[in-house]
Amino acid sequence: MSSCPLCQCELKFTNTPVFGAGKIVTGESLCSQCYMKFIKADSKTSLKKLTIDEVRLVIEKPIELPKSTGKDTIPATKTRIELQLENIGYGKSLFGRKEIAELPNLIIADEEIFAIVQGMYNESQGILVGTNKRLLFVDKGLIYGLKVEDFGLDKITSIQYQSGIMFAELTILASGNTAKISQLVKNEAKTFADKARQKLSDTKLHTSSVQVAQQPLDIADQLEKLANLKEKGILTQAEFDSQKKKLLGL
Ligand SMILES: [Zn+2]
């Protein structure tokens, strides 16, 4: 008779997860109790790929409790944020970004995330999160800790999308201030801008002043950057030629 590799209890028909669901990488099976503990701690990772030591790490990992950010901001639960992230199908490139882990502390209970993009703002790398209430730029740095800047949708007068050769930029005009988020992945930034515009017009108040402009960056400027890229060997001659043709509209 075999035993559970985690708690060493004797495995019987009655305490062994069905269909081999409790099996780990060695083929040994956890008992139902340990299996449930694992599922509660991490329902996403496939158990059958893990060693018993990895399973132990998952189960013993302390559960992070969301911190309160103020009296009128009720932290949403992690699962709710996770669900929202799933719904927007947020990019795999964002996976593991430290800022994502902060979202449960930042997103209030009745806030819905519509999109997230990665970019630069004020010389720091972070994520731009769009919700039904605001756009917020979150940067979690090693040195300065967490930096958050938010722009209430009711304060935003326009969102401009500009696309360059490799990256795009979003310019947010809010309360007379201009915020530029750069180094955005083009198609993601476009989607973000479109959705943000939708949210802005949903807030009705600003319907008349909402403009989403799509202005190409200066062509000469782009050509110069393109030439630099070719010089550095990032672009081949053929790639350079085809991009140049596109830019000049040939
Ligand atoms: Zn067990």
Side-chain angles (χ1 to χ4, degrees):
M1 190 49 82
S2 55
S3 57
C4 168
L6 198 65
C7 69
Q8 314 302 332
C9 76
E10 194 183 317
L11 288 176
K12 303 182 189 105
F13 176 69
T14 49
N15 72 347
T16 307
V18 290
F19 305 125
K23 279 186 181 170
I24 63 169
V25 74
T26 55
E28 296 168 287
S29 177
L30 300 179
C31 70
S32 298
Q33 224 181 344
C34 292
Y35 175 67
M36 287 316 293
K37 278 188 201 165
F38 174 82
I39 294 296
K40 274 186 191 165
D42 182 352
S43 57
K44 293 202 184 89
T45 310
S46 169
L47 188 60
K48 62 176 181 289
K49 287 181 183 154
L50 302 182
T51 65
I52 194 61
D53 286 334
E54 286 164 340
V55 171
R56 200 170 278 126
L57 274 177
V58 168
I59 293 178
E60 286 166 4
K61 176 183 70 183
I63 294 161
E64 284 173 51
L65 290 173
K67 284 171 274 172
S68 174
T69 53
K71 41 185 159 164
D72 52 6
T73 59
I74 307 142
T77 61
K78 259 196 179 145
T79 34
R80 208 174 75 83
I81 299 295
E82 278 169 5
L83 263 170
Q84 291 189 17
L85 292 177
E86 266 175 44
N87 284 342
I88 62 165
Y90 82 110
K92 276 253 183 328
S93 58
L94 287 169
F95 208 78
R97 274 210 74 96
K98 298 179 290 295
E99 290 86 5
I100 296 289
E102 291 294 330
L103 291 181
N105 306 327
L106 299 170
I107 301 300
I108 60 174
D110 56 345
E111 225 174 345
E112 285 282 332
I113 298 170
F114 64 80
I116 300 180
V117 282
Q118 234 179 146
M120 287 280 282
Y121 172 60
N122 275 349
E123 299 184 349
S124 56
Q125 185 80 42
I127 59 172
L128 179 67
V129 183
T131 78
N132 56 335
K133 294 188 183 298
R134 57 192 170 146
L135 303 185
L136 67 163
F137 190 83
V138 187
D139 162 35
K140 184 156 195 215
L142 286 173
I143 301 164
Y144 302 106
L146 188 66
K147 281 192 285 185
V148 180
E149 177 124 11
D150 68 1
F151 312 92
L153 287 190
D154 54 343
K155 304 256 167 30
I156 296 175
T157 45
S158 88
I159 294 172
Q160 302 192 342
Y161 168 84
Q162 290 188 305
S163 101
I165 300 169
M166 314 197 71
F167 293 109
E169 277 177 8
L170 288 179
T171 308
I172 302 165
L173 280 168
S175 314
N177 295 313
T178 306
K180 194 165 272 188
I181 320 284
S182 59
Q183 292 194 18
L184 299 157
V185 175
K186 279 196 211 171
N187 54 352
E188 288 179 10
K190 179 74 170 64
T191 310
F192 190 97
D194 288 345
K195 287 185 179 167
R197 178 183 53 173
Q198 188 57 49
K199 295 290 171 197
L200 275 181
S201 58
D202 286 352
T203 60
K204 300 256 199 294
L205 273 171
H206 292 79
T207 317
S208 54
S209 53
V210 170
Q211 337 151 348
V212 170
Q214 250 190 278
Q215 306 162 334
L217 297 175
D218 182 56
I219 288 176
D221 194 38
Q222 295 212 53
L223 276 175
E224 203 179 320
K225 285 182 187 167
L226 210 52
N228 282 337
L229 289 173
K230 197 196 67 168
E231 225 156 86
K232 287 179 187 157
I234 296 170
L235 291 181
T236 64
Q237 183 69 46
E239 283 164 342
F240 172 79
D241 289 343
S242 92
Q243 288 298 324
K244 185 176 154 189
K245 269 186 193 162
K246 268 188 214 164
L247 269 179
L248 297 172
L250 300 173

